[in-house]
Amino acid sequence: MASNDSFSKSNDEHVGKKCIEKAGLIWMIDNFSVCGLKNGEFKTSPIFHSKTDNKAKWYLQIYPKGSRDIDKDYISLYLQLEEIENVDVATMWNFYVLNQEGEKEYAIFSNTVFNKTNKSYGYLKFFNRNLLLNSNNKVLINDTLLLGCSVFYFSGSKNTFSTSTICNIRGHLNTLLNDFSNLFESSKFSDCIIKVGDSEIDAHRCILSDRSEVFDLILTEKKNECASNIIEIYDFSPEVVKEMIKYLYTGKLPNTDEMACEMLAIGDKYKLKELKLAAEESLIRSLNIENVCDYIVKSDLYSAETLKEWCLRFISLNHKILAKSEEWKKVIIEHPVLADKFFVLFANVK
């Protein structure tokens, strides 16, 4: 089995932290108050992209008098992804206006996934036109509007966030993996028992040993024991362990959305990098203000570097809201190293 990349431990050796790219734009729109565009008409910004990745090309689309008739008293603003493969791209992004002092105002944040179907996100009522044109607000600079946008997104060999594309298996290989799945489900010729509480999962030592260096070490140490064919797991539920073992047999990633935190923990414990990364991506999909403090602590506990960096950037873009929360205060007190990393990142982002 070691020669088959879908089964070999070496397959996990090529899986690691994904890069997080940043693309940004300061868009200068002159003569804004006398713009001749009507309701429903838009203006497009220059294309912008990351310094190290030009595959994902972004641009802004502004409707100075609203994109719909009911929005005519507002500015509508959208972020567009120009080119994309058949994948999902996870993003964190914000819009803001630079005032006459060069300070960011009216910042608004979003956490979305772009793909072929959804290549545009934005706000129908980003800014009230009357407030913008009011000279007392000191937003326009000699009738010039300075719009800013920062986009953080996943990059890599696939430039993708989608776990569904990681294991693209066809033809005879698919048949082979189905056979291994059937072998696991039938327990035929199994020579090992994994005990999880009152539940028992039959398995094959050769597969466990070949697919996980942790299981290999456990089984090697058990050679001279009386119950050498029994492995007891105390810290995970039977459902989570079964999904992990099934992954070892087939190489197919489980639906981590339903048990992402558990998959992150078990992937870390048994050194299954691909499973762990899939769990990180699943957690990123569900990241929000309510759970970011919990997720960043878990990212530190399980050395989930991609999730950690994503959480830190999320916090930096929402620091005014999180600064008031008891959860964030607890993180600062109980995890000072994490707090230090945030303050360094925040200083750079700001």
Side-chain angles (χ1 to χ4, degrees):
M1 286 192 301
S3 62
N4 189 324
D5 286 343
S6 294
F7 288 84
S8 172
K9 285 181 289 188
S10 63
N11 191 46
D12 257 351
E13 293 173 2
H14 302 289
V15 179
K17 177 186 173 184
K18 287 192 175 182
C19 295
I20 295 177
E21 298 286 352
K22 178 184 178 182
L25 173 72
I26 302 295
W27 186 15
M28 183 182 296
I29 306 176
D30 296 323
N31 304 314
F32 187 81
S33 65
V34 293
C35 174
L37 294 177
K38 301 176 182 178
N39 173 248
E41 296 180 341
F42 62 86
K43 183 179 180 68
T44 301
S45 78
I47 290 174
F48 61 101
H49 55 76
S50 164
K51 292 180 180 179
T52 56
D53 172 50
N54 60 5
K55 294 179 182 178
K57 297 179 180 179
W58 310 88
Y59 63 93
L60 303 183
Q61 205 170 66
I62 186 172
Y63 294 76
K65 296 181 181 178
S67 59
R68 306 176 303 179
D69 184 60
I70 59 174
D71 306 318
K72 61 185 178 182
D73 294 328
Y74 293 85
I75 295 169
S76 300
L77 185 62
Y78 298 89
L79 173 65
Q80 308 266 359
L81 180 56
E82 184 187 52
E83 296 181 5
I84 186 172
E85 299 174 1
N86 191 25
V87 295
D88 292 341
V89 180
T91 63
M92 284 187 292
W93 51 275
N94 69 341
F95 294 145
Y96 56 89
V97 175
L98 288 178
N99 63 19
Q100 294 179 9
E101 282 73 40
E103 299 170 337
K104 293 181 181 179
E105 289 192 1
Y106 310 104
I108 192 166
F109 169 84
S110 188
N111 188 25
T112 52
V113 176
F114 285 77
N115 51 42
K116 270 189 173 293
T117 305
N118 301 298
K119 295 193 291 185
S120 175
Y121 288 95
Y123 296 90
L124 294 167
K125 298 179 179 180
F126 170 63
F127 205 104
N128 184 285
R129 278 183 57 82
N130 291 331
L131 288 176
L132 182 66
L133 299 176
N134 189 330
S135 59
N136 293 328
N137 291 326
K138 298 182 179 181
V139 176
L140 294 180
I141 307 171
N142 297 324
D143 205 25
T144 296
L145 175 64
L146 292 179
L147 274 179
C149 178
S150 297
V151 185
F152 296 98
Y153 65 97
F154 270 115
S155 180
S157 59
K158 291 179 180 289
N159 198 19
T160 175
F161 172 77
S162 174
T163 58
S164 62
T165 60
I166 292 177
C167 198
N168 187 14
I169 303 165
R170 295 186 177 92
H172 68 279
L173 184 56
N174 191 48
T175 301
L176 177 63
L177 294 186
N178 285 335
D179 289 343
F180 271 87
S181 179
N182 292 334
L183 178 65
F184 170 67
E185 296 294 346
S186 69
S187 304
K188 191 174 183 179
F189 301 123
S190 61
D191 57 1
C192 178
I193 297 173
I194 298 175
K195 294 192 66 174
V196 189
D198 296 329
S199 300
E200 293 186 352
I201 302 171
D202 294 322
H204 300 79
R205 280 184 284 190
C206 59
I207 291 179
L208 298 182
S209 174
D210 185 67
R211 293 283 281 135
S212 167
E213 61 182 87
V214 176
F215 276 122
D216 182 53
L217 181 62
I218 292 172
L219 290 167
T220 299
E221 291 177 346
K222 279 183 166 289
K223 274 185 178 180
N224 299 321
E225 294 182 12
C226 295
S228 60
N229 67 327
I230 298 176
I231 299 174
E232 295 191 66
I233 296 178
Y234 302 98
D235 41 359
F236 298 100
S237 69
E239 293 77 17
V240 170
V241 174
K242 185 173 182 179
E243 287 297 321
M244 184 263 289
I245 300 299
K246 189 182 295 185
Y247 162 72
L248 295 181
Y249 273 73
T250 66
K252 293 181 180 179
L253 293 167
N255 183 1
T256 51
D257 289 347
E258 297 178 359
M259 49 182 74
C261 290
E262 294 87 348
M263 285 298 168
L264 177 66
I266 204 168
D268 181 66
K269 179 173 181 177
Y270 293 99
K271 297 186 178 180
L272 304 171
K273 294 180 182 178
E274 187 181 26
L275 182 62
K276 183 177 171 181
L277 182 57
E280 288 186 66
E281 293 177 343
S282 181
L283 290 171
I284 287 171
R285 273 198 295 272
S286 63
L287 187 67
N288 56 47
I289 291 292
E290 286 71 32
N291 60 31
V292 66
C293 291
D294 179 45
Y295 284 9
I296 197 170
V297 170
K298 283 183 168 61
S299 73
D300 193 50
L301 178 63
Y302 302 121
S303 302
E305 296 304 316
T306 299
L307 176 62
K308 183 187 297 182
E309 184 175 351
W310 198 259
C311 287
L312 286 170
R313 293 192 179 278
F314 184 98
I315 292 168
S316 72
L317 293 173
N318 293 276
H319 64 279
K320 290 183 179 179
I321 299 174
L322 285 164
K324 302 174 184 177
S325 74
E326 292 301 319
E327 291 81 2
W328 177 240
K329 293 175 183 176
K330 186 177 179 181
V331 170
I332 293 176
I333 294 171
E334 297 182 0
H335 304 274
V337 175
L338 274 178
D340 288 344
K341 288 182 179 180
F342 161 72
F343 290 121
V344 170
L345 177 64
F346 177 65
N348 292 331
V349 170
K350 190 174 180 181

